[in-house]
Amino acid sequence: MATRKTRIQDFLVNMPLFQGLSSSELDQVAASTAQIYAGRGDVLFKQGDPCVGFHFLVYGRVKLMLRSQLGDEKVVRLISPGGSFGEALMFMGKPYIVSGEVLEDSMLLHIGKDGIFTLLDRYPAVARKIIASLSQRLQHLMSDVESYSLRSGTQRVIGYLLKDASSDANSSIELPASKAVIASRLNLTPEHFSRILRELTELNLIAVNGRTINIINYNGLVEHQG
């Protein structure tokens, strides 16, 4: 993992959180922001590390995970470009409750809490944007809890596939990570996830080619989900 200095303001200006800020205000945020380049397998932070800011992913992919003392891993969130994480813990002054690991070559911004707190004191609009983002994340968390509690494994997998699929014929989606990581995200074992994909393939609802999932029968998937 390495850090390189470039013009951070060029990235900050495109973040929804900071849109509308003046050049001098962006300079203020940039002063407490680090630009991070990380490769696959790099660990950004571990459970228990202090959280002194939040991350914004410019490109690449990051997984947030819990790891038991026996080494078992549970993926709780996959971060795609444009996603951020760590805000809530930063505000609470709590250490990380998950670990963050890079899945592919990535570039991130780490915005230090000192710069954010100063900005919030002066610009309530930024606070409203952060509250909206955290509220949306809480809503997604509640949806996850509902899914794990009330839906079968097959329903979870189909819901995941339909989330980004088009109802047009021959639509396809690209899994953003390995099947093992996606399985963990859906609270399934890799074997169970593979078995469900195989069953959906045998029903001529999908076709699997590596990480590419072709939706053969969109309406059929919807009906099979129940």
Side-chain angles (χ1 to χ4, degrees), residues 4 8-9 15 22 52 57 73 79 103 148 154 164 169 196:
R4 299 203 292 267
I8 291 174
Q9 292 88 330
M15 290 177 59
S22 67
V52 294
L57 184 62
E73 179 184 301
I79 310 298
L103 293 174
Y148 299 155
T154 297
D164 296 318
I196 292 171

Side-chain angles (χ1 to χ4, degrees), residues 2 28 44 47 52 75 83 92 100-103 115 123 130-131 185 197:
Q28 176 183 316
L44 297 171
Q47 290 172 243
V52 294
V75 177
M92 293 189 296
E101 183 178 315
V102 177
L103 293 174
Y123 304 101
I130 290 179
I131 291 172
R185 178 67 185 86
L197 292 180

Side-chain angles (χ1 to χ4, degrees), residues 1-4 34-38 44 55 106-110:
M1 190 184 308
T3 58
R4 299 203 292 267
Q35 190 172 348
I36 301 172
Y37 291 86
L44 297 171
H55 289 85
S106 300
M107 180 227 166
L108 309 95
L109 301 179
H110 181 265

Side-chain angles (χ1 to χ4, degrees), residues 20-224:
L21 296 185
S22 67
S23 296
S24 60
E25 292 158 354
L26 287 172
D27 289 342
Q28 176 183 316
V29 179
S32 61
T33 299
Q35 190 172 348
I36 301 172
Y37 291 86
R40 180 179 179 180
D42 284 344
V43 176
L44 297 171
F45 50 82
K46 296 180 179 179
Q47 290 172 243
D49 287 350
C51 180
V52 294
F54 73 94
H55 289 85
F56 176 84
L57 184 62
V58 179
Y59 65 76
R61 198 82 57 181
V62 172
K63 66 178 177 180
L64 304 183
M65 60 184 179
L66 295 167
R67 182 164 283 157
S68 71
Q69 293 181 345
L70 298 176
D72 296 327
E73 179 184 301
K74 171 67 179 78
V75 177
V76 297
R77 191 176 167 210
L78 289 173
I79 310 298
S80 299
S84 61
F85 50 99
E87 298 96 325
L89 294 173
M90 175 189 72
F91 284 119
M92 293 189 296
K94 299 289 186 179
Y96 286 109
I97 58 176
V98 296
S99 298
E101 183 178 315
V102 177
L103 293 174
E104 59 188 63
D105 289 349
S106 300
M107 180 227 166
L108 309 95
L109 301 179
H110 181 265
I111 298 100
K113 67 178 182 180
D114 291 340
I116 288 294
F117 287 177
T118 300
L119 194 66
L120 294 179
D121 289 338
R122 297 176 59 187
Y123 304 101
V126 174
R128 288 195 292 270
K129 290 179 181 179
I130 290 179
I131 291 172
S133 175
L134 292 177
S135 298
Q136 185 180 46
R137 206 166 297 163
L138 177 61
Q139 185 178 24
H140 290 163
L141 176 61
M142 295 306 296
S143 295
D144 280 350
V145 172
E146 177 189 11
S147 174
Y148 299 155
S149 303
L150 303 177
R151 298 181 183 178
S152 68
T154 297
Q155 288 174 320
R156 273 176 261 162
V157 172
I158 292 176
Y160 181 83
L161 297 177
L162 293 178
K163 178 170 61 72
D164 296 318
S166 168
S167 59
D168 297 335
N170 300 321
S171 66
S172 64
I173 64 170
E174 188 78 17
L175 297 180
S178 69
K179 292 175 183 175
V181 170
I182 300 299
S184 179
R185 178 67 185 86
L186 296 175
N187 208 30
L188 301 169
T189 64
E191 295 78 14
H192 192 184
F193 181 61
S194 294
R195 185 166 63 251
I196 292 171
L197 292 180
R198 194 160 53 246
E199 290 171 353
L200 296 177
T201 299
E202 291 171 352
L203 291 170
N204 292 319
L205 298 175
I206 66 171
V208 181
N209 183 15
R211 289 191 183 182
T212 302
I213 311 293
N214 295 305
I215 309 297
I216 298 174
N217 187 342
Y218 182 94
N219 292 331
L221 270 182
V222 173
E223 291 176 5
H224 195 68

Side-chain angles (χ1 to χ4, degrees), residues 6-15 26 109:
T6 58
R7 183 171 170 76
I8 291 174
Q9 292 88 330
D10 293 340
F11 298 105
L12 294 175
V13 73
N14 292 316
M15 290 177 59
L26 287 172
L109 301 179

